[in-house]
Amino acid sequence: MATNLSLVFVILLSGLPAASAQSEDLRAAMSAPIQIERESGPTRIPLDWRMQKLFIEASVDGRRSGTFLFDTGSPTILSRRFADTLELEVLGQNTGVDANGNAVTMDVARVETLALGDTVFHGVPVLVFDFGSLEMGTCFMRDGVIGSEILPGSAWRIDVEQGELTLAEDGEALGTRETAVSAPLHDFGYPHMPIVDYALGDVTDRALFDTGSAEEVALFRPVAESGPVRALMVDGSRMTGQGSEGVSAGGRGEVQALSRFDLTGFEIGGTRLGEVTATTRSVPPSLIGAGMLNRYHVVLDYPGGEFRLEPREAPEAPRAHAGFAVGYEEGAGRVLQLFTPSPAQAAGLQLHDRVIEINGRLLDGADAEQRCDQALWLAQSFSGAEGGEFVILRDGERLTLTIPPVEG
């Protein structure tokens, strides 16, 4: 499956907005310590790895269970529908900034308990958001997000190879591996997102480990365009293009200049990881994303202040990028990203083309339920890198383009 940023819901809210955005009482309620009740020994829960995303089951207030995106780059967010069934009391509103830099206001509530297996978190602040306000929002995000404010006080191991999320009282309970890459893990307060130091040649910076991003690495554009970083780009690997960086809580991002490339010399904890695939993003910070889970198990040891990458026994081979992305916009399939050089661009595909069919599969003219099915197919099953026959509508003219597969 080609990574399709137009279908990735990356919700990154600022932790504590300006005082004018919320009262001191509300700020205190959001940042109050969360109590943890755990059985002896680590808790292991199933981890569903799809669309380069992590999904887990959780129970809220002992009354309702749901399926949630596990997103270390987001606060916990309940869908409006899910929150209404719990009859939560709204404490106020929080104004934060989404992944595209747009201001977003959400209701704030507090749940008495949030249970992951036999580990129970007491007094968890949650944001409440209507995902139905986003096009295709409820197709991808029914119940909400389990976010980063529950991370402190535990050590977490993310293992998509075995499909398991493990949390324990400390890192020793998770065991250690001599081959692991280790670096300090920083916590700068609510919502306690995991921050890690990295280096690229002479450039040193801090990145958010964000499982909401499907990339291996996403560099803040000024970092990517710096001379030392450009010198570490693998010759012939760079593609440039245009398109939206994705959909977040404030809606789809504006069309931006895009860039993708392979990097050498990416270091964590003084250890070079070898070649990594990277893209750029228009707003800070740089990200280490869920794409790393194709090669590593990731440990977030908050009590020990340590970030670890443990090499997988069977890492997945890097996937060729299609050079384009298709998603739904205003009820129609659209080309939302396009890169050059790419087979798609050479075959005549253009940004904003309306996509009627892909390999005989109809995208146009569907009702809401069918569009949801097609959007999930695009995100989970469709591989643009394999090419195919595209029927598009451009300036009122119906065209058929044959896109060859990406070589290599």
Side-chain angles (χ1 to χ4, degrees):
M1 180 198 75
T3 300
N4 189 339
L5 294 182
S6 68
L7 298 175
V8 171
F9 290 80
V10 182
I11 303 171
L12 177 58
L13 278 295
S14 61
L16 289 174
S20 60
Q22 55 182 214
S23 69
E24 290 300 321
D25 287 345
L26 183 57
R27 288 165 64 87
M30 294 177 70
S31 57
I34 295 171
Q35 303 302 313
I36 305 174
E37 175 188 354
R38 65 176 94 241
E39 301 290 335
S40 60
T43 292
R44 293 178 172 84
I45 62 174
L47 191 61
D48 187 5
W49 173 241
R50 50 190 164 90
M51 301 181 292
Q52 295 287 99
K53 296 293 178 187
L54 304 170
F55 293 89
I56 59 175
E57 298 291 323
S59 174
V60 180
D61 283 350
R63 292 191 290 146
R64 177 114 192 258
S65 295
T67 300
F68 297 86
L69 177 71
F70 180 61
D71 187 350
T72 59
S74 170
T76 293
I77 305 173
L78 301 184
S79 72
R80 175 70 63 184
R81 178 187 59 82
F82 189 98
D84 284 349
T85 65
L86 298 173
E87 299 179 343
L88 298 178
E89 177 187 358
V90 174
L91 304 177
Q93 291 187 321
N94 175 77
T95 299
V97 179
D98 75 1
N100 293 316
N102 299 316
V104 181
T105 300
M106 300 186 188
D107 288 340
V108 179
R110 180 178 289 271
V111 299
E112 295 300 320
T113 61
L114 190 158
L116 302 182
D118 56 16
T119 297
V120 182
F121 300 87
H122 294 267
V124 179
V126 297
L127 301 175
V128 179
F129 180 68
D130 179 11
F131 291 99
S133 65
L134 302 174
E135 188 165 19
M136 302 296 167
T138 55
C139 299
F140 295 89
M141 200 80 70
R142 287 185 55 81
D143 296 323
V145 179
I146 300 298
S148 56
E149 63 276 278
I150 67 170
L151 297 179
S154 299
W156 305 74
R157 186 172 187 267
I158 306 170
D159 179 351
V160 301
E161 198 169 24
Q162 299 298 321
E164 189 173 72
L165 176 67
T166 306
L167 55 152
E169 189 171 4
D170 53 45
E172 291 185 3
L174 297 179
T176 59
R177 295 189 180 186
E178 294 181 0
T179 57
V181 175
S182 176
L185 175 65
H186 303 289
D187 176 3
F188 294 108
Y190 178 86
H192 306 286
M193 296 175 183
I195 305 296
V196 183
D197 299 323
Y198 75 93
L200 277 164
D202 295 334
V203 175
T204 58
D205 193 13
R206 285 177 172 165
L208 166 64
F209 174 64
D210 182 5
T211 57
S213 169
E215 305 293 342
E216 283 195 328
V217 173
L219 295 178
F220 181 40
R221 188 172 294 126
V223 175
E225 296 299 330
S226 67
V229 174
R230 288 180 66 93
L232 294 173
M233 294 180 186
V234 176
D235 290 343
S237 70
R238 185 168 185 176
M239 297 191 298
T240 59
Q242 287 192 317
S244 168
E245 293 180 349
V247 174
S248 193
R252 184 174 301 284
E254 298 294 326
V255 172
Q256 304 274 353
L258 304 174
S259 182
R260 299 189 65 85
F261 42 86
D262 296 332
L263 277 174
T264 62
F266 188 84
E267 294 185 13
I268 293 179
T271 300
R272 289 195 174 192
L273 301 187
E275 283 191 15
V276 299
T277 60
T279 187
T280 54
R281 58 186 315 225
S282 58
V283 296
S286 294
L287 307 177
I288 300 169
M292 281 293 181
L293 295 168
N294 291 312
R295 294 196 283 156
Y296 299 95
H297 311 304
V298 174
V299 172
L300 304 174
D301 180 0
Y302 271 75
E306 183 184 28
F307 174 84
R308 291 206 306 270
L309 296 175
E310 301 174 351
R312 286 176 46 166
E313 293 182 7
E316 293 187 15
R319 303 175 182 181
H321 191 271
F324 68 96
V326 175
Y328 275 94
E329 186 175 49
E330 297 180 355
R334 297 279 182 184
V335 177
L336 299 175
Q337 291 185 349
L338 186 65
F339 290 84
T340 185
S342 69
Q345 184 269 337
L349 200 66
Q350 295 182 12
L351 191 68
H352 303 310
D353 275 344
R354 182 166 180 169
V355 182
I356 307 298
E357 291 181 17
I358 299 178
N359 296 332
R361 189 173 186 120
L362 184 66
L363 301 189
D364 216 40
D367 60 25
E369 184 176 353
Q370 291 170 325
R371 287 198 301 272
C372 186
D373 290 341
Q374 303 296 46
L376 289 170
W377 173 76
L378 285 168
Q380 297 182 80
S381 303
F382 171 63
S383 176
E386 296 177 359
E389 187 173 272
F390 285 59
V391 179
I392 64 170
L393 189 66
R394 182 190 302 160
D395 297 328
E397 183 179 2
R398 189 181 178 100
L399 304 171
T400 299
L401 302 178
T402 300
I403 299 177
V406 176
E407 295 182 0

